[in-house]
Amino acid sequence: MEVSKFNTRHWIRIALINFCIVALAGITLRYKINFPLPYLDQKYLLHGHSHFAFTGWVTLALMALMVNYLQEHRISTTYKKYYWILLANCITAYGMLISFILEGYAAFSITFSTLSIFVSYFFIFHYWRDLNKVKDESYAVSWFKAGLIILGISSLGAFSLAYLMANHIRVQDYYFGAIYFFLHFQYNGWFLFVCFGLMFSYLYKKGFLLSPGISKKLFLMMAITVGPAYFLSILWLKLPPVLHVIADIAGVLQGLILIYFINLLRIVKKNGQTNLTSTTRNLWKLASVAFILKIVLQMLSIIPFLTHFAFGFRPIVIGYLHLSFLGIISFFLLGYINQLFSESNRQISKAGVFIFVAGVLVQEVILMMQGLEAMNFEPLPKANLILFFTAIVIGLGLIWLTWSVLGDRTEVNKL
C-alpha cells in the first residue's frame, strides 16, 4: 500500500473492525455476568474493553477523519507521518487490550497506556502545525484545536490513575476522581469537540449553514463550560462549597448550550437535508436526540436528590456513558463515515445499521429500567440476561455494517 498519501478508507476500515472487537468484548462481559467463565477476570476485561474502545475505535476514527479534513482542504504536508502515528496508535490499542485482559493494571498495561498518551502528543503536535495552514470559514479549526488541547488535558487523569494503581494507593475518592477526569475530558472534550468540528465543516461546505455564527456561539459556550462541568461528574465527593457553586453554574449554562444546539437543528432543517443519505440523516437525528438528552441529564444532576441516584447506582452510570459513547459519538461517526463512503458510490449496510441502532436503544431502555430500581420501582426480571442478548444484537449489527465496507479494496484513494 502506498503511504505517501493518507488513505482514509483504509483507516476507517480498521477503526470499524476495532469497533467490532469492542462489541465482542462487551458480549463477553455480559456473558460473564450471567454464566460462569472462570478463566477471565471481569475487571481486567472491563479495563481492556474500555481502553480499546477509546483508542482503537473512536480516537483512531477521529484522527483518520481529521487528516482527511486536511486532504479535503488540499493542505501540503508529509502525510506519511500520519500513517506512522495511526499505526502506533493501533499498536498501543491492541497492546492495552491484551495486557489489561491478562494482568489488569500492571507493568505492560501501564506501559502501553503511557505509550498511547505519547502517541496522542505526537498527533497533537503535528496536526496543530498542519491545521494552521487551513483556511475554513466554518469555525471547524477552532473546534479541532480545542479538541486537541482537551485531549492533552485528559491525559492527566490517565497518568494519575496509572500512578495510583502502580503504587497500590486504594483511596477510592482519588481513584474515581482520576477516572472521571479522564472520561469527562475525553467524552465531553476530545470526542465531542472534534465531532462538532467535522459536522460544522461538512454542513458549511454543503450549504446547510450560510454563516458560521451558530458554530462560534456554540463553541464558545462549550469551551467555557467544559472545564467547570467536570465537577458535575464528581458531585458525590465531599467537594468544597465553592466547587459546588462552580458545578451548579456549569449545570445552568448547559441550558444555553441546549438553546444554541436546538437553534442549529432549526437552521439545518430550514436549509434542507437533501444532500444527506437517509442512513446518515437518521443516525445524525439519533445522535442529536442523545446529545439533547445528555445535556438535560447534566442540568438535572445539580439537583441534590438526583445526584445521589445519578452516581450511586451502576446501571445509571453505565447507561449515561453508553449514551455518550454509542448514542452521540458512535452514531455521529457512523453517519459521517457513511456520508463519505456515499460520495464514492458506496454506503454502509442499512440493515447492519438498523440492527446496531435497535440493540443500542433497547440496551439504554433496559439500563434505565434497572436504574429505576434505585427509586424503589419493581425490578425488571432477567434484566442482565436481556442485556446479554442485546449485546449480541449490537455486535451482529456492527459486524454486518463493517463487512459491507470491507470490499472494493482496489479503491484505495477515493476518500
Side-chain angles (χ1 to χ4, degrees), residues 28-307:
T28 307
L29 284 167
R30 286 294 171 188
Y31 178 90
K32 190 168 173 59
I33 291 174
N34 291 276
F35 310 104
L37 195 60
Y39 300 107
L40 201 60
D41 187 282
Q42 180 83 355
K43 185 177 291 186
Y44 290 179
L45 178 59
L46 179 61
H47 288 316
H49 168 73
S50 59
H51 281 78
F52 191 73
F54 277 52
T55 309
W57 158 231
V58 177
T59 293
L60 183 64
L62 291 178
M63 286 181 174
L65 294 173
M66 290 170 76
V67 178
N68 187 67
Y69 171 84
L70 296 179
Q71 291 191 135
E72 287 180 339
H73 285 80
R74 304 184 184 280
I75 300 302
S76 177
T77 188
T78 307
Y79 284 98
K80 187 174 182 178
K81 65 191 175 190
Y82 292 115
Y83 170 85
W84 293 113
I85 289 173
L86 267 67
L87 179 61
N89 180 81
C90 279
I91 292 172
T92 59
Y94 277 94
M96 285 188 290
L97 175 66
I98 296 170
S99 58
F100 272 115
I101 290 175
L102 294 178
E103 64 177 11
Y105 269 99
F108 284 107
S109 59
I110 291 174
T111 298
F112 279 113
S113 298
T114 304
L115 290 174
S116 173
I117 292 172
F118 286 133
V119 170
S120 71
Y121 290 167
F122 276 107
F123 180 80
I124 292 169
F125 174 77
H126 288 289
Y127 193 80
W128 189 286
R129 292 174 61 184
D130 288 331
L131 198 57
N132 285 330
K133 305 173 187 177
V134 176
K135 295 181 180 180
D136 185 357
E137 296 179 356
S138 70
Y139 218 69
V141 171
S142 295
W143 286 100
F144 289 146
K145 285 188 173 181
L148 293 173
I149 292 171
I150 300 170
L151 172 60
I153 292 173
S154 71
S155 66
L156 298 177
F159 278 131
S160 299
L161 183 61
Y163 175 82
L164 293 172
M165 299 299 292
N167 291 277
H168 305 288
I169 300 174
R170 302 298 183 185
V171 180
Q172 191 176 50
D173 287 356
Y174 294 166
Y175 177 80
F176 283 110
I179 288 178
Y180 280 111
F181 186 95
F182 176 76
L183 290 176
H184 172 74
F185 285 104
Q186 287 272 315
Y187 277 112
N188 299 311
W190 159 237
F191 293 171
L192 207 52
F193 275 69
V194 174
C195 284
F196 269 112
L198 292 168
M199 181 190 70
F200 277 114
S201 175
Y202 184 84
L203 294 178
Y204 193 80
K205 179 177 65 176
K206 296 298 183 181
F208 289 88
L209 296 174
L210 303 179
S211 167
I214 188 65
S215 177
K216 183 176 181 180
K217 291 178 181 178
L218 185 60
F219 169 80
L220 290 175
M221 188 51 57
M222 289 182 61
I224 290 170
T225 59
V226 66
Y230 163 63
F231 298 110
L232 291 171
S233 304
I234 56 171
L235 284 173
W236 47 273
L237 293 177
K238 295 179 180 179
L239 300 176
V242 65
L243 295 184
H244 270 283
V245 172
I246 292 174
D248 289 343
I249 293 173
V252 172
L253 290 177
Q254 299 300 306
L256 288 177
I257 293 175
L258 188 61
I259 292 171
Y260 289 143
F261 185 73
I262 292 175
N263 189 36
L264 167 66
L265 298 181
R266 181 186 62 80
I267 294 172
V268 171
K269 183 178 180 180
K270 179 181 178 181
N271 291 334
Q273 304 178 51
T274 55
N275 289 328
L276 296 177
T277 68
S278 60
T279 299
T280 297
R281 184 164 57 249
N282 291 329
L283 281 168
W284 282 8
K285 284 180 179 179
L286 288 169
S288 297
V289 172
F291 179 75
I292 291 171
L293 183 57
K294 183 186 84 76
I295 295 296
V296 171
L297 291 174
Q298 284 182 311
M299 294 171 62
L300 293 176
S301 69
I302 65 176
I303 302 174
F305 173 76
L306 296 177
T307 300

